[in-house]
């Protein structure tokens, strides 16, 4: 017999719905002018860095002021964002997928007071709380992962290198002086929840040593079959060992030659720590993109095989990124992304112009059969 709920009417699925189970419908949070013109937008323009206008077929306009935000925000900071929205935007705002905050107003007269208010809000150290920019042919806000503050497998921090990098690239965030947009991303380890495999410039945390095995604790803290099964390269196997005091314990052994330092085993077993001060560091990758414009999407390629974790400012990392951006800015053609520029001039020339050392570690020779057989792009050409 089929189950029939007394509180659900399939003909009216939203009737009497309990809205605190799951998120509420996003349509409830549209500014009135956007709700009114949904599906009727004719075009949009970038008026200046960080300022956009969308024009509807009805003649209505929406002006957007985009400011850079951070991935990890305090409650106090979020309350200040809401205060600004209440003051200038009738309480409406939106977050972008790259951690920007967008304040939207329905009249051009409201833009300048909003800009002035945002520019006047600074932290005690003097930096902008709400820097305006991140649009068009400039550096967009960095999207990144958790880092040391919250994740258990990172090889580098997230918030620290991101802040240091954006300090170095801040002029490009507040202007549109590059050949095309440059997307910078960071992932704390090669599990890559930061999507750095397809960014113009990618900062990737990298482990260089296999996990340390805490034999005396492992069988007390872990389910050994889970730790073995978690390894994607089958580098872990169960073994028995005798400790110095003569105690025999069940533990695991790691085949170092097969280990790819991903940290999956540590996710299953806290007695297999991977973090290491000297072994952990940063890889710089370049040339990726998701866009189909001009050329097909591209994967990022390794440009610098290893840089140390020199907290809190990561000077080696920021210097390399600045070198790449400066060379790209001077040499690329208009609308060329970083990867398109490198492919046009040749990767050998890319390393020369960016003053980067080339080593055998940087040779990209992996080709999965799918690389040739899958359709990788939606691009097409009209034919007769």
């Amino acid at each position: 017999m089929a189950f029939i709920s007394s509180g659900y009417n399939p003909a009216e699925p939203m009737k009497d719905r309990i809205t605190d189970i799951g998120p509420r419908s996003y349509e409830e949070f549209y500014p009135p002018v956007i709700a009114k013109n949904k599906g009727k937008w004719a075009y949009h323009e970038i008026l200046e860095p960080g300022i956009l206008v969308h024009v509807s077929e009805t003649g209505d306009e929406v002006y957007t002021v985009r400011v850079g935000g951070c991935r990890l925000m305090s409650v106090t900071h979020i309350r200040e964002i809401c205060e600004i929205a209440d003051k200038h935007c009738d309480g409406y705002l939106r977050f972008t997928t790259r951690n920007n905050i967008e304040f939207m107003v329905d009249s051009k007269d409201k833009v300048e007071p909003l800009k002035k208010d945002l520019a006047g809000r600074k932290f005690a150290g003097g930096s902008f709380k709400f820097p305006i920019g991140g649009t068009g042919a400039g550096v967009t806000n960095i999207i990144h992962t958790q880092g040391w503050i919250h994740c258990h497998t990172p090889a580098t921090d997230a918030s620290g290198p991101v802040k240091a990098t954006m300090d170095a690239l801040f002029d490009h965030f507040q202007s549109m002086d590059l050949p095309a947009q440059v997307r910078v991303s960071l992932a704390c380890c090669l599990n890559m929840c930061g999507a750095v495999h397809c960014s113009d410039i990618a900062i990737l945390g990298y482990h260089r040593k296999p996990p340390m095995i805490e034999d005396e604790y492992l069988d007390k803290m872990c389910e050994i079959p889970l730790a073995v099964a978690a390894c994607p390269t089958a580098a872990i196997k169960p073994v028995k060992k005798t400790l110095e005091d003569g105690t025999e314990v069940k533990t695991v052994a790691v085949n170092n030659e097969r280990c790819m330092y991903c940290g999956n085993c540590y996710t299953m077993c806290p007695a297999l720590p991977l973090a290491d001060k000297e072994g952990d560091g940063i890889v710089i990758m370049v040339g990726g993109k998701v866009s189909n414009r001009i050329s097909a999407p591209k994967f990022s390629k390794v440009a610098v095989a290893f840089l140390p974790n020199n907290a809190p400012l990561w000077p080696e990392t920021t210097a390399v990124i600045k070198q790449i951006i400066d060379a790209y800015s001077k040499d690329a053609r208009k609308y060329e992304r970083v990867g398109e520029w490198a492919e046009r001039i040749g990767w050998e020339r890319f390393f020369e112009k960016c003053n980067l050392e080339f080593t055998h570690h940087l040779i990209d020779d992996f080709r999965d059969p799918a690389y040739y057989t899958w359709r990788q792009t939606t691009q097409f050409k009209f034919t007769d």
Side-chain angles (χ1 to χ4, degrees):
M1 179 179 177
F3 172 75
I4 300 175
S5 169
S6 59
Y8 175 73
N9 180 359
E12 297 180 272
M14 299 302 291
K15 184 178 180 181
D16 298 324
R17 178 172 178 256
I18 302 174
T19 55
D20 61 349
I21 298 177
R24 292 167 60 179
S25 172
Y26 58 87
E27 293 188 351
E28 296 180 39
F29 306 101
Y30 283 149
V33 65
I34 291 180
K36 174 185 173 185
N37 292 281
K38 186 172 181 179
K40 300 176 184 177
W41 299 106
Y43 66 93
H44 75 276
E45 293 181 85
I46 302 174
L47 302 179
E48 58 185 85
I51 312 297
L52 302 94
V53 59
H54 287 74
V55 181
S56 170
E57 296 168 355
T58 65
D60 289 341
E61 296 177 334
V62 170
Y63 291 85
T64 300
V65 180
R66 177 181 293 179
V67 302
C70 48
R71 189 177 187 275
L72 302 170
M73 295 184 179
S74 67
V75 173
T76 304
H77 191 66
I78 294 173
R79 283 176 175 159
E80 188 169 358
I81 292 170
C82 295
E83 173 204 324
I84 295 168
D86 286 338
K87 182 178 178 181
H88 296 277
C89 314
D90 299 321
Y92 294 97
L93 63 94
R94 69 183 290 266
F95 286 85
T96 74
T97 56
R98 297 194 74 86
N99 308 322
N100 297 295
I101 305 104
E102 292 190 343
F103 298 99
M104 297 164 290
V105 294
D106 56 8
S107 168
K108 191 173 184 179
D109 297 335
K110 299 177 182 179
V111 174
E112 283 303 320
L114 174 56
K115 284 174 55 182
K116 187 175 180 181
D117 189 359
L118 291 168
R121 295 175 185 253
K122 296 185 177 182
F123 290 107
S127 61
F128 291 105
K129 287 185 176 180
F130 305 104
I132 299 172
T135 56
V139 172
T140 59
N141 202 13
I142 297 182
I143 190 169
H144 64 89
T145 52
Q146 299 282 3
W148 290 334
I149 196 169
H150 191 62
C151 186
H152 60 282
T153 60
T156 190
D157 189 29
S159 300
V162 164
K163 174 66 168 69
T165 300
M166 286 306 287
D167 283 347
L169 304 180
F170 188 62
D171 290 344
H172 296 302
F173 176 81
Q174 288 208 307
S175 64
M176 297 188 293
D177 57 353
L178 296 176
Q181 68 174 3
V182 174
R183 295 200 181 279
V184 185
S185 302
L186 182 147
C188 321
C189 75
L190 52 70
N191 286 313
M192 275 207 235
C193 48
V196 298
H197 60 288
C198 52
S199 300
D200 292 286
I201 296 178
I203 307 166
L204 172 63
Y206 185 59
H207 297 288
R208 296 191 298 175
K209 295 183 180 181
M212 295 165 275
I213 305 171
E214 299 176 342
D215 296 313
E216 63 271 35
Y217 305 120
L218 195 138
D219 66 339
K220 300 179 181 66
M221 302 174 66
C222 313
E223 293 186 36
I224 291 176
L226 290 181
V228 172
C231 182
T233 61
I236 300 175
K237 66 179 181 180
V239 297
K240 291 182 179 179
K241 288 185 181 178
T242 302
L243 303 179
E244 291 182 2
D245 62 2
T247 306
E248 186 178 77
V249 295
K250 294 178 180 179
T251 181
V252 298
V254 176
N255 182 340
N256 292 351
E257 293 182 358
R258 294 184 69 96
C259 179
M260 60 182 277
Y261 323 126
C262 67
N264 281 1
C265 56
Y266 180 63
T267 302
M268 292 291 117
C269 180
L272 291 169
L274 195 67
D276 179 88
K277 185 177 180 181
E278 285 74 33
D280 292 353
I282 284 174
V283 173
I284 301 296
M285 304 173 72
V286 299
K289 72 184 186 88
V290 176
S291 167
N292 253 325
R293 191 172 179 275
I294 298 180
S295 63
K298 305 176 189 299
F299 283 124
S300 307
K301 300 180 186 297
V302 176
V304 180
F306 190 83
L307 294 168
N309 274 323
N310 282 336
L313 297 179
W314 280 266
E316 297 87 355
T317 298
T318 56
V320 166
I321 294 172
K322 192 75 165 57
Q323 285 172 216
I324 296 170
I325 291 287
D326 289 347
Y328 164 73
S329 176
K330 292 175 185 176
D331 196 61
R333 295 172 180 169
K334 190 173 183 180
Y335 304 125
E336 269 187 336
R337 298 285 289 270
V338 173
E340 292 163 343
W341 166 61
E343 290 183 354
R344 176 175 61 82
I345 65 174
W347 283 98
E348 298 88 348
R349 177 70 78 174
F350 166 83
F351 280 90
E352 291 176 11
K353 287 183 176 290
C354 295
N355 195 26
L356 299 176
E357 180 185 5
F358 183 85
T359 75
H360 70 280
H361 299 289
L362 309 178
I363 297 172
D364 179 19
D365 59 356
F366 173 77
R367 287 295 180 269
D368 186 273
Y371 187 92
Y372 299 105
T373 58
W374 287 358
R375 183 168 176 81
Q376 302 173 70
T377 172
T378 58
Q379 289 183 322
F380 65 94
K381 295 180 180 179
F382 289 102
T383 63
D384 296 334

